[in-house]
Each structure stands twice: as structure tokens, then as C-alpha cells.
Amino acid sequence: MKYSGIGGQAVMEGVMMKNQEKYAVAVRKPDHEIEVKVSEYTGIIRNKKIRNMPILRGVFSFIESLVLGMQTLTYSASFFEDEEVDEKKKEPMTEEERRRQEQKEKKQENAMMGGTVVLSIVLAVAVFMMLPYYLSTLFQKVITSQWVIALLEGVIRLVIFIGYVALISLMKDIRRVYMYHGAEHKCINCIEHGMDLTVDNVRKSSRFHKRCGTSFLLIVMLVSILFFMFIRVDSPILRVVLRLLLIPVIAGVSYEFIRLAGRSDNAVVNLLSKPGLWLQGLTTKEPDDEMIEVGIASVEAVFDWKPYVEEIRREMK
């Protein structure tokens, strides 16, 4: 399967697709029209040599996906906010006052976004990294092997993560996000398998993809088990510090595997990708045709798929 270089994620009633520094958010509005917004995101690091360094690029990509994800999610949610302002009570504003108001709101939005990203990272570390560690220490009175304790910590981490994913999938709004997640994957799979990007072709494409954020997070969990089993210290305080310090390294290594998986059809790589694909059975659902249309609109805003598909067909001959 030829690598397209595009990636994306689901948002509220829509899909975001990113191709290099260009990204598009397509949203199905309450009036059923599709709104498409195209923007650029240069990332947190501008230096290309640093950005492309192995391991480090995974850390940057993870942080950037959080930031961009929050921005696009906020944008998509803005179409569904209740209009509670009484137009008659709104005071008229001059152009200058309106400009200042917009600047103020933008600063507040950026501050809120930054705070949300930081809080999300802190909560994720606390729930998925530190909580399993402390729960595993409860078994040290009956289990003497540190190898077994480290393995138990990893199992607890996996149970918490998979349980969380399964639990939120029961929510109606999240289920619709998972359907758009399926539309995103199906659109990418469609063109990467050399088919024209049409609703019919997308519908029969797979909703599972090896370059998925779900697979990345699961790989993070599995890689952390290996790291914590083989890198051990006796001090409980140092063990906590070590886990915190190794998080960027674990994220970087996991990213390198996902990156390799997205470019390779090697049998071993495909086998190691299976657990992530299985987990996508929870985080992706089959979309309806209207959701597929939103995914197609997002792809076409950032990626000229026709020459790409033609190239794949020539290679297949």
C-alpha cells in the first residue's frame, strides 16, 4: 500500500485532514450544509532538522496533534452552541471595538486551549501512567518478583485504557465521533488502494488503518511495559521520576513504529499492528453516506488525490 502522507482525526460532526502543514476541517452543520475551513499549522518547532530527528519527531507530533486536535474540536463545536444572546439587547459596536473584542476573545481562546492541553496531558499521565504503578505496588506484599510486578503494572494500564475507550463508546455523541473516525480511515484507505474518492468506493473501504492514533496509544502502553520491565531502580521515588522522564522516549519510540507500519507491508510489522487494529473496532464505527461526504470534502481540501491514484494504478499494472 502506497503511503499518501495525509492523516486526520474526527471532530464533532466532522473530519479534520492534514497534509504536511496544511489542514482542513469539514463539518456537517445543523442545516446539513458542509462547511470547510482550510488553514496552516507549522507546529511547535520550525527547524526541519530538529523536527525530523528520530524519537524527537514523535514527541513533537504527539504534542502538536493534541494542540491541533483541541483547536479543530473547538471549531467544530462552535457550530452547535446554543444562541442565547438576545440580538435586541446587544449594544452596537464600532469597527474598532469589534476588532478589539475579537482580539480579546482570541487571546482568551488561546489561553483556554493551552490550559486544556496541559490539563489533558497531566490527567493522562496521572490516570494511565501513575495510577497503574501505585495499584501494582499493592501486590508487592504477596509478589516478590519485580518482573512480575512490572508486568502486572502494564496489564493494569491496559485494562484501564481499554476500559476507558469502551466506556466512552457507549455515549451517543462519542459514538458519532467514532463514526466520523471511521469515515476518516475509509477515505484514506480508499485512495491509498488506488480507488477514486467517491462515496461508493469509500463505503466499501476498510475503517481500520495502521497509522491511527488509537494504535499509537496502544503501542505506547505496550512499549511502556517493556521499558519498565527492563529499566528498574530500587527507590520508589526514583521509579516515579523515571516513569515521568521516560514518557517522551516511550512516545517517540511508539511513533517510530507507527510511522514504519504506515509505510510497510512487512509480515512481522503487520502482525505487530494487529492489536491496534483490533482496538480500532471500538474507536471506529461504520459511517453513513453523509459522514463519508464530509470526509471526502476534508481530503479534497488539502490533497490532490487524482494524480496520486493514477500513479498507484500505473504501479499496479
Side-chain angles (χ1 to χ4, degrees):
M1 184 173 65
K2 184 177 174 61
Y3 175 64
S4 65
I6 62 173
Q9 70 177 57
V11 295
M12 184 176 291
E13 295 299 325
V15 175
M16 183 274 287
M17 288 289 184
K18 188 172 185 294
N19 181 24
Q20 297 182 2
E21 295 180 349
K22 189 178 181 181
Y23 72 94
V25 188
V27 179
R28 177 75 70 177
K29 298 189 297 183
D31 62 3
H32 296 289
E33 293 294 320
I34 299 177
E35 179 82 14
V36 181
K37 178 184 178 183
V38 181
S39 307
E40 287 192 1
Y41 181 70
T42 55
I44 58 175
I45 301 293
R46 302 292 180 87
N47 189 298
K48 290 187 177 181
K49 289 184 178 180
I50 297 177
R51 282 183 62 86
N52 292 326
M53 291 179 65
I55 306 299
L56 281 180
R57 61 190 172 194
V59 179
F60 299 145
S61 177
F62 176 65
I63 296 173
E64 289 169 0
S65 66
L66 280 177
V67 174
L68 190 57
M70 288 295 180
Q71 288 179 352
T72 54
L73 187 61
T74 301
Y75 170 75
S76 64
S78 68
F79 290 100
F80 304 93
E81 294 174 351
D82 293 330
E83 296 292 335
E84 299 179 348
V85 179
D86 187 350
E87 294 293 336
K88 294 181 180 180
K89 295 182 179 179
K90 290 179 64 177
E91 296 182 2
M93 299 173 64
T94 65
E95 189 65 30
E96 178 65 20
E97 288 174 335
R98 185 177 292 104
R99 185 181 62 82
R100 289 178 181 176
Q101 180 68 18
E102 289 176 353
Q103 289 178 344
K104 180 181 178 181
E105 291 176 353
K106 187 66 175 176
K107 289 180 180 179
Q108 291 174 341
E109 181 181 327
N110 289 339
M112 188 184 307
M113 198 78 64
T116 303
V117 170
V118 172
L119 180 61
S120 299
I121 294 175
V122 171
L123 288 176
V125 170
V127 174
F128 299 117
M129 299 300 287
M130 304 315 301
L131 179 60
Y133 166 71
Y134 282 111
L135 289 178
S136 68
T137 61
L138 299 177
F139 294 86
Q140 289 182 348
K141 295 179 180 179
V142 293
I143 301 175
T144 57
S145 172
Q146 291 302 311
W147 285 71
V148 176
I149 291 293
L151 181 60
L152 182 61
E153 177 190 345
V155 171
I156 293 172
R157 181 174 295 114
L158 283 172
V159 169
I160 292 175
F161 174 64
I162 296 174
Y164 168 78
V165 171
L167 188 62
I168 65 172
S169 69
L170 300 177
M171 300 169 60
K172 181 180 178 181
D173 289 343
I174 297 299
R175 184 174 179 82
R176 287 192 63 81
V177 171
Y178 284 173
M179 292 172 73
Y180 276 104
H181 190 192
E184 172 220 329
H185 284 188
K186 289 166 82 74
C187 285
I188 295 175
N189 276 323
C190 177
I191 58 177
E192 288 187 342
H193 284 84
M195 296 189 293
D196 288 346
L197 194 61
T198 64
V199 172
D200 288 339
N201 286 339
V202 172
R203 191 189 304 117
K204 60 188 178 185
S205 298
S206 173
R207 75 176 200 263
F208 305 114
H209 200 287
K210 291 187 290 184
R211 289 195 324 273
C212 174
T214 302
S215 295
F216 169 75
L217 292 175
L218 183 61
I219 294 298
V220 166
M221 303 295 168
L222 297 175
V223 170
S224 69
I225 294 176
L226 295 176
F227 270 65
F228 299 152
M229 284 182 67
F230 292 97
I231 303 176
R232 292 180 289 142
V233 293
D234 294 329
S235 170
I237 296 177
L238 286 179
R239 282 202 292 268
V240 173
V241 172
L242 185 65
R243 276 155 175 73
L244 294 175
L245 293 178
L246 284 176
I247 288 174
V249 180
I250 292 170
V253 172
S254 302
Y255 175 83
E256 293 303 320
F257 174 78
I258 292 296
R259 191 171 186 269
L260 172 65
R263 290 172 163 81
S264 172
D265 279 323
N266 179 275
V268 175
V269 173
N270 288 339
L271 180 63
L272 293 174
S273 300
K274 287 294 184 182
L277 296 175
W278 291 335
L279 188 58
Q280 288 176 38
L282 288 175
T283 63
T284 65
K285 303 296 180 184
E286 286 295 332
D288 58 33
D289 286 357
E290 285 196 345
M291 293 175 175
I292 290 174
E293 290 172 355
V294 172
I296 291 174
S298 185
V299 172
E300 292 184 331
V302 295
F303 187 70
D304 186 2
W305 58 267
K306 292 182 180 179
Y308 174 85
V309 168
E310 285 298 323
E311 183 180 349
I312 292 179
R313 289 172 178 169
R314 285 196 298 268
E315 292 176 356
M316 293 173 64
K317 291 181 179 180

